[in-house]
């Protein structure tokens, strides 16, 4: 039974790796930009302290989500890249 | 019969020096200047929709190109071209890789004056690509095709040991 469970876990793990390998860099950059733009727009509209706090949490989440792609985003997004986009959002 | 050889040794020396000087100038002018190494890799692919004239325009890498001939080569259809989304990436050596959804091939081009010239047509699938995307994975170009395993490409073709 343990062996079967291990085998299933291995299969799930390898399929996760395969899915991770399939990631398009272009799609990833687009996703980051869309999320950053959405946060930025909402920041302009924010009226309360609570909304601002929620948006700050969104920036933290964005930073964490794309931390592994930092090098790619810094190269691909001109002129701001990952670092300056996050910096601007924290502004 | 005596010929007056070397009557003016200083003069012939001068001629030799002038000749040597001119040869040096000519050789220096002819030798090509080479700048190496260079890295021309784009970090991400360019994704552009073809317009009704067969043109694509990229605002990130600042270029425009007429791709009518490429679309005709792949689809044998030069009329329905405006809905094609073309994906292009440039590798470290400066070669351009192009493909699109439903294409069976990846086209490799090199830059020439005012355009691109085909250097290789790589057959990647007989069924046509489902949802292609290029990733920069130096020294290779990675080709994604939906849920199928990714393939590594070079300007010569598919990397050996990869799916054909």
């Amino acid at each position: 039974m343990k062996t079967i469970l291990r085998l299933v876990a291995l299969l799930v793990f390898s399929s996760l790796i395969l899915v991770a390998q399939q990631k398009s860099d272009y799609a990833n950059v687009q996703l980051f930009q869309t999320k950053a733009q959405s946060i930025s727009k909402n920041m302009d509209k924010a009226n309360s302290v609570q909304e601002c706090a929620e948006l700050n949490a969104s920036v933290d989440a964005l930073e964490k989500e794309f931390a592994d792609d930092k090098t790619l985003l810094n190269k691909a997004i001109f002129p701001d890249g990952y670092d300056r986009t996050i910096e601007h959002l924290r502004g | 019969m005596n010929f007056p050889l070397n009557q003016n040794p200083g003069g012939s020396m001068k001629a030799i020096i002038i000749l040597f000087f001119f040869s040096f100038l000519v050789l220096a002018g002819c030798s090509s200047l080479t700048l190496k190494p260079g890295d021309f890799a784009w970090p991400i692919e360019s994704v552009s929709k073809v317009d009704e004239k067969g043109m694509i325009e990229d605002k990130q890498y600042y270029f425009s190109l007429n791709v009518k001939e490429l679309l005709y080569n792949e689809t044998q259809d030069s009329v329905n071209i405006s809905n094609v989304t073309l994906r292009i990436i440039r590798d470290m050596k400066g070669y351009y890789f192009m493909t699109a959804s439903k294409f069976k091939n990846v086209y490799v081009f090199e830059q020439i004056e005012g355009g691109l010239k085909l250097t290789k047509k790589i057959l990647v699938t007989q069924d046509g690509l489902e949802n292609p995307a290029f990733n920069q994975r130096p020294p290779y170009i990675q080709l994604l095709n939906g849920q199928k395993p990714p393939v590594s490409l070079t300007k010569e073709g598919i990397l050996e040991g990869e799916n054909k």
Side-chain angles (χ1 to χ4, degrees):
Chain A
M1 188 65 183
K2 263 186 181 178
T3 321
I4 292 169
L5 279 174
R6 272 183 197 157
L7 198 67
V8 169
L10 189 73
L11 278 172
V12 171
F13 183 67
S14 20
S15 59
L16 282 176
I17 288 175
L18 195 67
V19 168
Q21 281 173 343
Q22 296 276 354
K23 221 167 47 166
S24 154
D25 290 346
Y26 176 82
N28 227 14
V29 170
Q30 294 287 308
L31 185 64
F32 176 79
Q33 283 182 312
T34 308
K35 286 189 174 182
Q37 277 165 12
S38 160
I39 294 173
S40 177
K41 271 183 193 168
N42 287 331
M43 274 176 172
D44 293 339
K45 288 183 209 158
N47 286 322
S48 66
V49 178
Q50 198 191 336
E51 275 178 335
C52 286
E54 280 169 12
L55 287 166
N56 277 338
S58 305
V59 177
D60 290 342
L62 184 76
E63 188 180 19
K64 208 173 167 183
E65 186 184 347
F66 289 91
D68 290 343
D69 300 310
K70 188 178 169 171
T71 314
L72 169 74
L73 294 167
N74 276 332
K75 275 188 192 173
I77 303 171
F78 183 80
D80 287 349
Y82 168 88
D83 294 322
R84 283 185 66 190
T85 304
I86 298 289
E87 231 176 83
H88 284 162
L89 290 174
R90 291 206 196 285
Chain B
M1 196 172 181
N2 285 331
F3 291 99
L5 289 173
N6 227 0
Q7 278 181 340
N8 185 2
S12 57
M13 194 63 174
K14 217 176 186 177
I16 289 169
I17 290 171
I18 290 169
L19 196 66
F20 176 77
F21 182 70
F22 274 106
S23 316
F24 176 77
L25 283 180
V26 168
L27 284 175
C30 288
S31 66
S32 62
L33 182 65
T34 307
L35 306 179
K36 271 186 161 183
D39 182 356
F40 300 95
W42 289 353
I44 53 165
E45 64 183 339
S46 154
V47 180
S48 311
K49 269 211 161 174
V50 182
D51 71 13
E52 66 280 357
K53 289 175 187 161
M55 291 293 293
I56 52 162
E57 196 178 338
D58 185 279
K59 290 193 170 80
Q60 184 174 5
Y61 300 114
Y62 301 106
F63 70 90
S64 64
L65 184 70
N66 191 308
V67 294
K68 234 180 192 172
E69 289 293 320
L70 168 72
L71 299 177
Y72 182 72
N73 193 299
E74 177 71 25
T75 60
Q76 306 300 311
D77 180 2
S78 58
V79 181
N80 303 310
I81 51 173
S82 56
N83 277 330
V84 177
T85 301
L86 202 67
R87 311 184 87 94
I88 308 174
I89 197 164
R90 201 172 187 199
D91 76 355
M92 284 174 77
K93 290 175 182 168
Y95 288 91
Y96 295 84
F97 292 69
M98 292 188 200
T99 200
S101 245
K102 295 176 189 164
F103 271 33
K104 292 176 181 175
N105 303 286
V106 168
Y107 293 79
V108 185
F109 290 90
E110 65 181 355
Q111 191 151 13
I112 54 163
E113 198 177 317
L116 298 177
K117 185 182 159 195
L118 183 73
T119 60
K120 185 89 181 173
K121 186 174 168 181
I122 307 167
L123 178 69
V124 283
T125 171
Q126 288 289 357
D127 312 322
L129 292 161
E130 283 169 34
N131 187 19
F134 286 123
N135 285 335
Q136 188 67 246
R137 296 288 181 267
Y140 309 112
I141 294 296
Q142 185 185 55
L143 173 69
L144 307 181
N145 179 20
Q147 291 306 306
K148 290 179 183 148
V151 168
S152 298
L153 303 171
T154 67
K155 71 182 173 74
E156 279 89 24
I158 297 171
L159 186 68
E160 279 204 23
E162 299 271 338
N163 283 357
K164 297 208 172 175

